[in-house]
């Protein structure tokens, strides 16, 4: 059908009016990508029972909302809440439901949304605030330690045999640090933090974080060992470190405004020590430490509670969300000792339990990358352990937590040498973190991952953990599936055999989070490793967030195994809201016995520079696990497209269509099946000291009048399979070692 320009204008105007009317009728769905999305989404089977409910705030700013949760064929459950979220304290019956919400003063209901609670929905109940507070304050101190934490003198021979090496290690660490750690002083950090951040400021910020973390660890370790062994050396060291930490100026370089990570660590370490030392802390010192906790935590609370809980409406704040869990634990341990703690607790605990992370949906995952997922898991163990013990709410049983561990299993399986995607992805995974996280779960997959990782966890967390570990109650160890898809973050993984250390692993990302926060301009990007050896890698290294190097190279599409054009132009990674809008999406996924398949659309990520940017990937299990990658690209302008690859070794250009990558005993050969797409190396910024990087691309010119197509075979192991590309009418078929793929 042909349209005149006037018809197009009228159609656009009508579409705009309909969109406005729809937005008005369904006000819980904000057009602002930074605003919280309504949940449960339409027609979703809930991972958690009861599910959490969230919605965008109404424009009138009502004092409260009326929420209706209606079982199909039954009367609605009506709730009034002052914030734009609600977490039922009790599980819902299995069945189908609708929910809607409106301002309590009356007015328009949101569009009803359907959801289901099934036998697959995992139970996770969080009582109301009053019940939780009574439970917490009724527990004798130390609240933060499990009931299995008993004096060393009471341990049986089996426990001593298992834990004595860690007791000895902790003792030696504390004694070594007594003389090695410098005394804390505000004078060490003279630079006044300002914007924009400079390299010197970034260095000072890092030093503050490291010095505070060291002192906090020494304080906590000494308090734990005093409680366990009763040695005066540990008590005196705990008192000395606690006094130093408490003496730092709350308005100085460690203030919340200057270094939020420092002030929350100071607060949590002091309140942990107060709890663990309990009656062994003299009254004047206890009062001083509590005063420091009160002053610093009140500042944290003030920051988060602004606008009636700013994270309720704008959740995409990595530091703010981390501060929320710190506030939850601090308030949990401070109840009964600091008057403001009840206010902090009522504000934070259930809000955090409802939405522990904005970086994925309820199925788990972590949009910022596996390095930041690991960082998060590390502090979650340190904070969840005492919070779960004190409150009786097992955060490790939350479906999101189980999904986060599965995500780590898929994207940093045992033997991984680097992380996947985002800031810090070039670093080596710390197996201690996921060993600790998984050990606190009862799951066959967790048991497999923990045992396959080997080693152990950090000594301090281990000595405070439940004994025996929950994972020991799992009788069966079973690896997860060989392929996985995480829709809310737009990640997919393909493994030849995840249970084997010789596995080949391909990762694909096309994320609705775009290049936001610690994510990069890598939509439709791939990573490849074999037997743990990286073969196709992310280029560059993470110096500091927002640095010139980060902005100009590390964050850019050209440093990824992804598509650029006209000399390295890539996805649009600037702006704030724009980073979430210039995104990718996985539009197809299949896991079959003979093949795995994923398709991504990154067109939006290029911000209008391209009119099509789609990638399809097949892992052909019947063809020796060869991987076929197809890209379709279009623009209104003539372009030269670049199919970039980065390797951790110097690659060999065999000829214009073939490239060989050999790293140790592992290899991959890349073959262009489009004779017009030819390969050449290019030179990127210098690699980190003692690190090898090589860069290249298949280049394809296009006149802007037709769709450009790359068709590349990744031959893992360089097995040189026979390949044919045939056409019958409008159907094209690629056959690799006898296994065929139809290109549609």
């Amino acid at each position: 059908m042909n349209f005149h320009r006037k018809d197009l204008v009228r159609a656009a105007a009508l579409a705009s009016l309909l969109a406005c009317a729809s937005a008005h009728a369904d006000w819980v769905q904000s057009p602002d990508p930074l605003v919280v999305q309504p949940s449960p989404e339409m027609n979703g089977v809930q991972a958690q029972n009861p599910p959490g409910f969230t919605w965008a705030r109404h424009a009138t700013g009502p004092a409260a909302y009326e929420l209706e949760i209606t079982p199909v064929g039954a009367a609605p459950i009506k709730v009034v809440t002052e914030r734009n979220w609600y977490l039922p304290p009790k599980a819902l019956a299995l069945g189908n439901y609708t929910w809607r919400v409106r301002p309590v003063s009356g007015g328009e209901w949101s569009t009803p949304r359907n959801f289901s609670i099934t036998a697959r929905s995992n139970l996770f109940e969080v009582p109301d605030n009053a019940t939780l507070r009574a439970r917490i304050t009724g527990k004798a101190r130390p609240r933060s330690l499990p009931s299995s934490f008993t004096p060393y003198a009471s341990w049986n021979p089996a426990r001593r045999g298992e834990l004595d090496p860690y007791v000895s290690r902790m003792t030696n660490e504390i004694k070594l640090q007594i003389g090695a750690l410098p005394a804390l002083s505000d004078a060490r950090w003279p630079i006044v933090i300002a914007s924009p951040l400079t390299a010197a400021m970034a260095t000072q910020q890092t030093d503050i974080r490291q010095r505070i973390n060291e002192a906090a660890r020494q304080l906590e370790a000494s308090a734990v060992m005093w409680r366990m062994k009763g040695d005066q050396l540990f008590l005196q060291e705990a008192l000395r470190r606690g006094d130093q930490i408490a003496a730092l100026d709350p308005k100085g370089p460690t203030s919340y405004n200057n270094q939020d990570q420092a002030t929350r660590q100071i607060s949590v370490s002091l309140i942990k020590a107060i709890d663990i030392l309990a009656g062994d802390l003299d009254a004047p010192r206890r009062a001083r430490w509590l005063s420091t906790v009160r002053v610093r935590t009140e500042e944290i609370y003030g920051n988060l509670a602004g606008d009636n809980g700013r994270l309720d409406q704008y959740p995409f704040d990595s530091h703010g969300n981390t501060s929320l869990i710190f506030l939850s634990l601090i308030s949990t341990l401070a109840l009964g000792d600091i008057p403001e703690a009840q206010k902090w607790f009522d504000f934070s605990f259930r809000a955090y339990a409802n939405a522990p992370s904005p970086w994925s949906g309820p199925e788990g995952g972590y949009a910022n990358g596996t390095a930041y997922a690991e960082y998060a898991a590390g502090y979650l163990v340190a904070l969840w352990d005492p919070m779960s013990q004190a409150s009786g709410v097992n955060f490790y049983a939350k479906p999101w937590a189980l999904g986060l561990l599965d995500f780590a299993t898929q994207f940093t399986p045992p033997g991984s040498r680097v992380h996947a995607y985002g800031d810090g992805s070039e670093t080596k995974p710390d197996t201690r973190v996921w060993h600790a996280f998984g050990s606190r779960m009862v799951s066959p997959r967790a048991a497999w991952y923990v045992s396959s990782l080997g080693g152990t966890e950090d000594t301090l967390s281990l000595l405070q953990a439940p004994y025996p570990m929950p994972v020991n109650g799992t009788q069966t160890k079973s690896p997860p599936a060989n392929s996985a898809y995480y829709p809310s973050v737009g990640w997919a993984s393909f493994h030849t055999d995840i249970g084997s250390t010789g596995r080949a692993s391909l990762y694909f990302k096309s994320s609705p989070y775009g290049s936001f926060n610690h994510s990069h301009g890598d939509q439709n990007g791939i990573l490849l490793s074999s037997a743990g050896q990286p073969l196709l890698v992310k280029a560059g290294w993470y110096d500091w967030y927002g640095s010139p190097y980060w902005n100009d190279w590390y964050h850019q599409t050209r440093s990824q195994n992804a598509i650029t054009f006209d000399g390295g132009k890539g996805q649009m990674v600037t702006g704030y809201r724009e980073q979430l809008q210039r995104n990718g999406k996985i539009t197809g996924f299949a896991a079959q016995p003979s093949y795995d398949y994923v398709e991504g659309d990154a067109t939006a990520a290029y911000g209008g520079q391209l009119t099509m940017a789609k990638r399809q990937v097949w892992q052909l299990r019947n063809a020796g696990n060869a991987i076929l990658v197809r890209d379709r690209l279009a623009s209104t302008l003539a372009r030269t497209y670049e199919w970039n690859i980065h390797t951790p070794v110097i690659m060999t250009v065999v000829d214009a269509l073939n490239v060989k990558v050999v790293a140790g005993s592992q290899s991959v050969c890349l073959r262009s099946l489009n004779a017009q797409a030819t390969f050449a190396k290019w030179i990127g910024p210098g690699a980190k000291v003692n690190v090898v990087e090589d860069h290249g691309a298949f280049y394809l010119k296009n006149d802007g009048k037709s769709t450009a197509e790359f068709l590349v075979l990744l031959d893992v192991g360089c097995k040189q399979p026979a390949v044919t590309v045939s056409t019958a009418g409008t159907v094209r078929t690629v056959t690799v070692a006898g296994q065929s793929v139809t290109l549609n």
Side-chain angles (χ1 to χ4, degrees):
M1 182 179 294
N2 295 320
F3 286 91
H4 296 293
R5 179 175 296 274
K6 185 180 292 185
D7 295 323
L8 291 172
V9 171
R10 287 173 178 169
L14 178 59
S16 177
L17 286 172
L18 290 173
C20 290
S22 175
H24 180 70
D26 196 21
W27 54 268
V28 300
Q29 181 82 55
S30 172
D32 185 345
L34 295 177
V35 169
V36 67
Q37 296 297 302
S39 180
E41 298 176 354
M42 195 71 77
N43 300 321
V45 174
Q46 298 307 293
Q48 177 179 298
N49 184 15
F53 296 82
T54 59
W55 56 90
R57 290 173 177 166
H58 194 274
T60 60
Y65 296 92
E66 180 183 358
L67 173 67
E68 280 190 356
I69 307 167
T70 306
V72 171
I77 304 165
K78 297 185 178 182
V79 177
V80 173
T81 176
E82 295 179 355
R83 293 165 73 176
N84 56 318
W85 61 269
Y86 176 68
L87 178 61
K90 293 292 183 181
L92 302 179
L94 302 188
N96 298 318
Y97 292 80
T98 62
W99 73 275
R100 62 179 187 167
V101 65
R102 68 176 178 179
V104 75
S105 55
E108 56 198 333
W109 285 100
S110 63
T111 299
R113 285 171 164 76
N114 305 320
F115 68 92
S116 300
I117 301 293
T118 73
R120 290 186 293 151
S121 306
N122 293 316
L123 181 67
F124 181 71
E125 292 181 334
V126 183
D128 61 77
N129 284 329
T131 301
L132 285 168
R133 291 197 309 270
R135 179 189 296 175
I136 292 165
T137 55
K139 184 176 181 181
R141 293 194 184 277
R143 298 172 183 166
S144 59
L145 298 176
S147 58
S148 60
F149 186 96
T150 55
Y152 179 84
S154 69
W155 289 8
N156 61 33
R159 185 170 183 178
R160 289 193 181 191
E162 183 178 346
L163 296 181
D164 267 352
Y166 304 100
V167 174
S168 177
R169 187 179 302 166
M170 194 80 265
T171 298
N172 292 335
E173 179 186 327
I174 292 170
K175 290 180 177 179
L176 179 65
Q177 295 291 66
I178 287 175
L181 286 182
L184 291 176
S185 170
D186 291 314
R188 181 185 176 97
W189 306 299
I191 300 175
V192 177
I193 304 301
S195 182
L197 192 66
T198 65
M201 292 177 192
T203 299
Q204 177 172 289
Q205 293 287 73
T206 300
D207 187 66
I208 291 172
R209 181 177 64 249
Q210 291 176 345
R211 299 291 82 79
I212 295 300
N213 285 346
E214 288 172 350
R217 178 180 174 86
Q218 182 77 343
L219 167 59
E220 183 176 342
S222 299
V224 167
M225 292 303 292
W226 161 251
R227 177 62 54 195
M228 181 188 297
K229 297 295 290 285
D231 187 331
Q232 280 288 329
L233 178 144
F234 299 129
L235 177 60
Q236 294 308 312
E237 176 64 359
L239 299 180
R240 186 164 74 96
R241 293 298 171 183
D243 286 344
Q244 288 182 9
I245 292 173
L248 294 172
D249 183 1
K251 297 186 181 300
T254 63
S255 71
Y256 193 70
N257 285 334
N258 282 338
Q259 227 299 5
D260 59 340
Q261 295 166 316
T263 207
R264 69 196 186 200
Q265 188 60 51
I266 288 170
S267 297
V268 84
S269 65
L270 285 174
I271 200 64
K272 271 188 173 183
I274 291 167
D275 178 67
I276 294 170
L277 295 174
D280 298 319
L281 194 61
D282 61 89
R285 178 176 276 116
R286 188 172 186 275
R288 289 199 307 273
W289 291 11
L290 283 172
S291 177
T292 296
V293 174
R294 184 189 63 78
V295 170
R296 288 184 179 272
T297 308
E298 185 68 9
E299 190 171 11
I300 298 172
Y301 168 77
N303 177 272
L304 298 179
D307 192 27
N308 194 33
R310 62 182 180 84
L311 297 177
D312 295 354
Q313 181 75 343
Y314 295 102
F316 298 116
D317 178 343
S318 58
H319 281 232
N321 278 278
T322 306
S323 293
L324 184 65
I325 181 180
F326 273 83
L327 181 61
S328 300
L329 175 58
I330 294 165
S331 61
T332 296
L333 298 183
L335 282 172
D337 286 326
I338 298 176
E340 293 87 348
Q342 179 172 330
K343 172 186 66 176
W344 305 337
F345 182 87
D346 288 355
F347 169 79
S348 65
F349 190 95
R350 299 189 84 255
Y352 174 76
N354 184 51
S357 172
W359 307 118
S360 76
E363 86 276 12
Y366 212 83
N368 283 337
T370 64
Y372 269 80
E374 179 187 286
Y375 305 154
Y379 69 70
L380 289 179
V381 170
L383 301 174
W384 278 5
D385 275 10
M387 198 154 73
S388 294
Q389 296 302 329
S391 68
V393 176
N394 181 10
F395 283 89
Y396 296 100
K398 189 175 177 69
W400 177 83
L402 298 170
L404 181 63
L405 185 75
D406 285 342
F407 177 78
T409 305
Q410 287 288 340
F411 293 96
T412 51
S416 297
R417 301 184 195 178
V418 292
H419 277 289
Y421 298 113
D423 287 342
S425 58
E426 73 282 0
T427 61
K428 184 178 180 179
D430 185 348
T431 58
R432 298 175 304 168
V433 172
W434 294 114
H435 192 288
F437 199 80
S439 292
R440 286 146 175 83
M441 295 179 175
V442 180
S443 158
R445 296 190 303 277
W448 173 83
Y449 192 36
V450 169
S451 64
S452 299
L453 287 174
T456 187
E457 64 179 83
D458 177 75
T459 304
L460 181 55
S461 66
L462 178 64
L463 292 177
Q464 296 180 79
Y467 183 85
M469 284 289 193
V471 75
N472 293 340
T474 305
Q475 300 301 314
T476 303
K477 299 177 183 178
S478 60
N482 289 325
S483 57
Y485 164 43
Y486 290 82
S488 68
V489 297
W491 289 36
S493 61
F494 299 152
H495 303 278
T496 53
D497 180 1
I498 197 169
S500 168
T501 56
R503 76 185 81 83
S505 302
L506 179 87
Y507 303 132
F508 179 88
K509 174 188 173 187
S510 197
S511 176
Y513 287 83
S515 58
F516 189 75
N517 201 253
H518 293 289
S519 296
H520 290 184
D522 52 11
Q523 314 321 312
N524 284 2
I526 59 174
L527 299 167
L528 177 69
S529 66
S530 181
Q533 170 62 54
L535 294 172
L536 300 183
V537 301
K538 161 80 179 77
W541 78 93
Y542 188 29
D543 55 351
W544 47 278
Y545 184 81
S547 74
Y549 176 84
W550 185 91
N551 278 309
D552 297 339
W553 169 244
Y554 187 66
H555 191 220
Q556 296 287 336
T557 307
R558 202 181 189 204
S559 68
Q560 328 287 334
N561 301 305
I563 299 295
T564 56
F565 57 91
D566 297 347
K569 297 176 183 178
Q571 296 166 20
M572 305 289 281
V573 296
T574 57
Y576 193 58
R577 286 174 171 83
E578 292 84 358
Q579 289 176 324
L580 283 170
Q581 294 169 317
R582 295 168 180 159
N583 55 24
K585 57 183 177 180
I586 289 182
T587 53
F589 177 82
Q592 302 293 332
S594 62
Y595 72 93
D596 296 307
Y597 171 76
V598 67
E599 177 180 325
D601 186 346
T603 307
Y606 291 89
Q609 299 174 102
L610 304 182
T611 56
M612 179 189 292
K614 296 182 178 181
R615 173 169 279 183
Q616 297 167 289
V617 180
W618 293 263
Q619 178 171 262
L620 305 175
R621 295 190 176 275
N622 290 351
N625 292 302
I627 298 162
L628 181 65
V629 183
R630 180 195 190 200
D631 285 271
R632 290 176 294 156
L633 305 155
S635 171
T636 57
L637 302 175
R639 303 283 195 193
T640 297
Y641 294 105
E642 299 133 6
W643 201 97
N644 296 289
I645 63 168
H646 308 275
T647 61
V649 293
I650 302 303
M651 65 186 90
T652 300
V653 181
V654 179
D655 56 39
L657 301 178
N658 291 274
V659 183
K660 187 172 186 178
V661 181
V662 180
S665 60
Q666 305 303 314
S667 63
V668 62
C669 289
L670 294 89
R671 189 188 317 182
S672 174
L673 304 183
N674 179 353
Q676 304 304 312
T678 58
F679 191 84
K681 289 190 180 185
W682 52 268
I683 299 174
K688 196 174 184 179
V689 176
N690 298 323
V691 173
V692 175
E693 288 181 353
D694 205 5
H695 319 281
F698 290 102
Y699 291 86
L700 180 61
K701 291 185 177 181
N702 181 263
D703 59 9
K705 299 176 182 178
S706 59
T707 300
E709 180 186 74
F710 287 101
L711 199 57
V712 178
L713 184 73
L714 306 184
D715 172 16
V716 181
C718 294
K719 302 167 187 173
Q720 299 299 314
V723 181
T724 60
V725 181
S726 59
T727 302
T730 59
V731 176
R732 285 194 302 146
T733 302
V734 178
T735 302
V736 181
Q739 184 171 357
S740 296
V741 170
T742 299
L743 303 183
N744 53 46

